[in-house]
Amino acid sequence: SVEHLRRGDVLAAVTSDPVPVQGCSVERLGVLRYRPAAAPDFAERWRSGRGHDWAAMPVVVFNDLDTLQHDMLRSRGVDRPPPVVHRVPTSADFLAAVRCGLGWGVLPEPQLQPGLADGSLVPLAGRARVDVPLHWQRWRLGSPLLDRLTAAVRDAARTHLRPGRPTGAQ
């Protein structure tokens, strides 16, 4: 997101980077909670005792910049890369890949909840989570349209994000 702002491709972006891009203002929106999950059959296949074989399970990542899954592995005591990594760089397809059992992934709670409710996903590692602080960066220019967009983003953040301080992978 920040690179798009730097290049001038966009006028505003939601980003995890709190440092304002030159010419932009930044405001904290809240925290998006992510939790590790998998398809029920996948989770059962990789069960090991009372937990899962984190070191052996295939994983789904968004792209090369996505460290959420690796952060979760480190929090579970796994320091080596997963044996199989699938890159799925769209949000809906990432969710579909996890639902299909391609691997486990760390999903944002708003995207995860329907799958937990209908049984197509199960949480891994109990209450494990990663909280990611999100920020709104926008160019500092007078624009009624950009002001309306900013107001809509703030409203969405109040509805869907947690106000609290972030925690690392747990």
Side-chain angles (χ1 to χ4, degrees):
S1 304
V2 170
E3 285 308 311
H4 292 293
L5 282 166
R6 283 192 184 104
R7 287 192 308 261
D9 296 338
V10 298
L11 296 177
V14 173
T15 176
S16 61
D17 192 343
V19 178
V21 170
Q22 184 176 1
C24 291
S25 62
V26 64
E27 68 179 90
R28 190 171 190 281
L29 294 172
V31 172
L32 182 57
R33 176 160 290 169
Y34 289 77
R35 294 179 53 206
D41 290 346
F42 179 92
E44 192 55 40
R45 184 176 330 121
W46 295 98
R47 185 161 298 287
S48 176
R50 293 177 53 199
H52 292 90
D53 188 354
W54 290 92
M57 286 192 296
V59 65
V60 179
V61 300
F62 190 78
N63 61 25
D64 291 334
L65 301 176
D66 177 9
T67 64
L68 292 175
Q69 285 71 214
H70 294 85
D71 294 345
M72 184 59 60
L73 286 172
R74 275 191 295 283
S75 78
R76 315 294 320 152
V78 179
D79 291 324
R80 64 181 188 267
V84 178
V85 177
H86 302 284
R87 284 172 186 76
V88 183
T90 68
S91 183
D93 293 338
F94 184 99
L95 175 61
V98 172
R99 272 192 164 140
C100 290
L102 196 58
W104 68 274
V106 180
L107 297 165
E109 278 189 337
Q111 191 179 39
L112 173 62
Q113 291 304 329
L116 294 177
D118 70 17
S120 63
L121 294 170
V122 294
L124 300 177
R127 296 182 184 265
R129 66 186 187 277
V130 179
D131 288 343
V132 176
L134 295 178
H135 303 84
W136 176 243
Q137 291 207 35
R138 63 169 275 185
W139 285 12
R140 286 186 301 236
L141 56 90
S143 165
L145 183 59
L146 196 49
D147 292 343
R148 285 197 313 271
L149 178 60
T150 297
V153 168
R154 286 178 185 142
D155 287 345
R158 279 191 292 275
T159 301
H160 299 289
L161 299 180
R162 294 169 175 268
R165 285 287 183 222
T167 61
Q170 296 182 357

